[in-house]
């Protein structure tokens, strides 16, 4: 079962990568670009076939390794 | 209008970050983890209010800056 974990900086946390992308887009001539936030996405292929259990396992992985929950929030989707 | 651009390494392209995450998960005792791929997600706040035009603009941004289309594929979603 394929699971997607999306990790984003929490609201209010400084996101220099997002800021840099925003400036670069402006420099390339793209108008009307407001806030830009950059995060990561991890695609996991799990042996688990039960969707609820797979989601639970991925949330545990996110809490323990994939996300720094002090400054990042995450969400888990079954793909 | 909020637009999400997800950038993933293309199938067949070596993904060392994903491999490292896979090994780390195994080391933490998570069983049944198969392939892991790591990508990035960029959340853009665009002034454009027309969904089709916003999507088109984001695709242009992805081609020009956000993704390296030689080794990465991207998809754009209106959030």
């Amino acid at each position: 079962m394929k699971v997607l974990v999306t990790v984003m900086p929490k609201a209010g946390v400084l996101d220099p990568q997002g800021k840099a992308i925003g400036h670069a887009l402006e420099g390339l001539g793209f108008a009307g670009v407001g806030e830009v936030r950059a995060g990561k996405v991890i695609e996991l292929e799990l042996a688990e076939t039960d969707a609820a259990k797979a989601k639970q396992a991925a949330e545990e992985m996110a809490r323990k390794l994939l996300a720094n929950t002090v400054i990042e929030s995450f969400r888990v989707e079954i793909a």
Side-chain angles (χ1 to χ4, degrees), chain A:
Chain A
M1 178 159 286
K2 200 171 266 186
V3 182
L4 280 185
V5 180
T6 307
V7 180
M8 295 295 292
K10 281 185 180 168
V13 173
L14 193 68
D15 176 15
Q17 198 189 350
K19 285 256 178 301
I21 293 171
H23 286 142
L25 286 173
E26 233 174 82
L28 284 172
F30 290 104
V33 180
E35 210 194 353
V36 181
R37 315 273 298 163
K40 52 194 170 174
V41 55
I42 298 109
E43 201 183 282
L44 303 158
E45 187 60 52
L46 299 182
E48 182 63 61
T49 50
D50 181 87
K53 280 186 194 163
K55 200 173 172 186
Q56 211 169 32
E59 281 171 359
E60 186 73 11
M61 291 174 198
R63 264 190 299 271
K64 282 205 179 153
L65 179 75
L66 307 175
N68 175 354
T69 53
V70 176
I71 55 166
E72 294 171 325
S73 61
F74 66 86
R75 68 169 183 275
V76 173
E77 297 154 275
I78 302 294

